[in-house]
Amino acid sequence: MRLSLTQISLTAVVALSVLFSSSTVTVSAAPAIRPVKYDGHRVIRINIQNQAQLDALTAHEESLKLDYFTHYKVVGGNVDVRLAPEHFAEFQTLNLDYNVQIDNLQATIDQEAQENDVYQAKFDKARKSNARNPGQVFIAADWFAGYHTYAEHQTWLSTQISTYPTIASSFSAGNSFQGRPQAGIKIGSGPNHVVFHGTQHSREWITTMVTEWLADQLLKGTDTRVAGYLKKYTFHIIPIMNPDGFVITQTSNRMHRKNAQVNGGCIGTDTNRNWGKGWGSPGASTNPCADDYRGPSAFSSPEALNIANYLKALPNVALYIDIHSYSQLIMTPWGYSATPPPNYNSFLKPLVKGAANALAAVNGVQFTSGDIYNTIYPASGNSADYAYSISVKAPLAVELRDTGRYGFQLPANQIVPSGKEFWAAFGYILDNLGV
């Protein structure tokens, strides 16, 4: 997405995201500064019925300044886009089949902020009332009742490590473009390694919380299987893979997807189109202002390069999961090729199908499973493909709730249900890796 001068300058966005770095921010209420407004912006689901419609959409996507929320842009598919009100008349001339998912995006952003302000007030009150043990609020169940600031997430990590020192330790995969650590928590001591992270795409806040929910379950061990998991696996968990982008979503642009690199006058590289396997193939944009901009070269983004190097340095990586939202999917490689990997039918396909079934058994929520290319869209330069290429046994990409009703503004009351159902899927995967 190209930011106009009527919204906020590129320099201002970068300055705000640097201002709110971990070195300058203390634990506080969610930042109220969101200069980019989306009043009257619609989220529209386009049903692409034939090649002529696909061609028309592609031909007009730049003049319409479309922000793709989903990317299944193929004949027979449907795609969710954000459309500014000044472009709606032009869009209607294309005579596409569509329905409006969200009729005023800013209203959903405002509602999210208002609900989280109420939660944040309760959270701050609880922290102050526990002055002798302020870390208590970071291990209480109420942590998962709302969304949190970047600084709070960093405090959450350090609190878990200090609370569970015998099974947990800290690590960082490296630093982001603006110098923030890709901070994580390591849990367990098994010979087989499991790596997963959330928030590669920064506007997908639910992924941070679900990643932390999985870590919380491993630390507290209420599931009787956990003791065995901690002996069999070592878990490497990074709740916020893209910290610069995450800070941008909390300070200047809630809909920012990419990292904070400046490319051709626009902000960000899509780090999940920047990995080395299949980079440059169809399924990523060469336009620096597009939300799926692949970057000038493979691994030009430090965030992707750091995680790749971290993965390569680990022996016996049994599982890698890149957690996204939204669309309710559990997927395997490939994203760059329509032909799945050799062990897709024998191992990967039944693994993700079983995980989706286990997830559905919790709340009845249905997830679709399959390979990335044929399940959603071509996606070259993605993390799961790269992980497979370096012999990670089960590299997966997940899209959490929902299917478009709320999109990236998933209400906080869905954090715990999302965590519980994905824990069921996660447990199924761990039980069926064959290691």
Side-chain angles (χ1 to χ4, degrees), residues 74-89:
V74 297
V75 174
N78 57 63
V79 61
D80 292 357
V81 300
R82 177 183 58 78
L83 181 66
E86 61 267 27
H87 300 300
F88 189 61

Side-chain angles (χ1 to χ4, degrees), residues 25-359:
V25 171
T26 57
V27 176
S28 59
I33 304 170
R34 293 194 182 97
V36 179
K37 294 290 186 179
Y38 293 97
D39 295 294
H41 287 234
R42 298 171 174 89
V43 178
I44 292 173
R45 177 161 294 170
I46 303 168
N47 304 302
I48 304 171
Q49 299 174 322
N50 53 54
Q51 188 63 44
Q53 291 182 350
L54 176 59
D55 292 343
L57 177 62
T58 301
H60 287 82
E61 61 188 8
E62 289 196 20
S63 64
L64 292 171
K65 292 182 167 56
L66 297 180
D67 176 8
Y68 283 88
F69 279 21
T70 64
H71 294 258
Y72 194 37
K73 199 176 71 171
V74 297
V75 174
N78 57 63
V79 61
D80 292 357
V81 300
R82 177 183 58 78
L83 181 66
E86 61 267 27
H87 300 300
F88 189 61
E90 179 188 349
F91 173 78
Q92 288 182 303
T93 66
L94 303 182
N95 295 317
L96 301 176
D97 180 55
Y98 72 92
N99 61 284
V100 177
Q101 298 289 100
I102 298 173
D103 61 5
N104 184 356
L105 181 59
Q106 188 61 45
T108 69
I109 294 172
D110 291 343
Q111 181 178 352
E112 176 188 58
Q114 290 163 8
E115 291 176 355
N116 216 54
D117 284 347
V118 172
Y119 163 74
Q120 191 74 50
K122 294 178 181 178
F123 183 82
D124 289 343
K125 183 178 180 180
R127 191 178 70 248
K128 291 175 182 177
S129 66
N130 285 279
R132 292 184 178 179
N133 185 17
Q136 183 63 34
V137 295
F138 293 95
I139 58 174
D142 284 351
W143 172 261
F144 296 101
Y147 292 103
H148 296 272
T149 66
Y150 172 72
E152 286 173 347
H153 285 294
Q154 303 316 295
T155 304
W156 182 89
L157 278 173
S158 62
T159 302
Q160 309 314 305
I161 292 159
S162 62
T163 304
Y164 301 96
T166 61
I167 59 171
S169 60
S170 65
F171 76 96
S172 172
N175 288 335
S176 68
F177 176 72
Q178 293 181 338
R180 296 181 178 90
Q182 292 175 291
I185 183 171
K186 191 183 301 183
I187 305 172
S189 57
N192 304 290
H193 294 271
V194 173
V195 179
F196 60 93
H197 54 73
T199 333
Q200 178 161 204
H201 289 149
S202 52
R203 60 190 175 189
E204 299 166 6
W205 288 3
I206 184 61
T207 70
T208 317
M209 301 305 299
V210 169
T211 299
E212 290 175 347
W213 178 273
L214 298 183
D216 182 74
Q217 298 305 299
L218 292 169
L219 291 167
K220 291 180 177 174
T222 52
D223 186 321
T224 57
R225 296 174 295 176
V226 166
Y229 292 159
L230 299 188
K231 293 178 182 177
K232 190 174 187 179
Y233 301 106
T234 297
F235 298 89
H236 309 252
I237 305 164
I238 301 174
I240 303 176
M241 184 271 202
N242 175 11
D244 298 346
F246 184 72
V247 170
I248 289 173
T249 67
Q250 294 196 325
T251 58
S252 58
N253 184 356
R254 177 63 182 89
M255 288 296 106
H256 186 75
R257 164 183 163 106
K258 301 182 286 184
N259 72 358
Q261 288 175 286
V262 178
N263 297 294
C266 289
I267 300 173
T269 296
D270 182 348
T271 59
N272 203 36
R273 300 295 183 273
N274 191 241
W275 296 64
K277 181 63 177 179
W279 184 88
S281 302
S285 178
T286 59
N287 177 2
C289 296
D291 267 349
D292 61 344
Y293 174 55
R294 69 191 189 188
S297 60
F299 291 126
S300 60
S301 68
E303 294 85 359
L305 179 61
N306 292 341
I307 304 295
N309 287 338
Y310 190 84
L311 272 174
K312 284 194 297 185
L314 292 173
N316 305 321
V317 182
L319 175 64
Y320 167 81
I321 311 179
D322 183 9
I323 303 176
H324 291 266
S325 74
Y326 59 93
S327 286
Q328 297 178 190
L329 306 165
I330 305 178
M331 299 173 293
T332 80
W334 300 113
Y336 85 97
S337 170
T339 303
N343 66 342
Y344 176 72
N345 287 321
S346 62
F347 174 62
L348 292 173
K349 182 178 179 180
L351 183 69
V352 293
K353 178 63 174 176
N357 290 339
L359 186 151

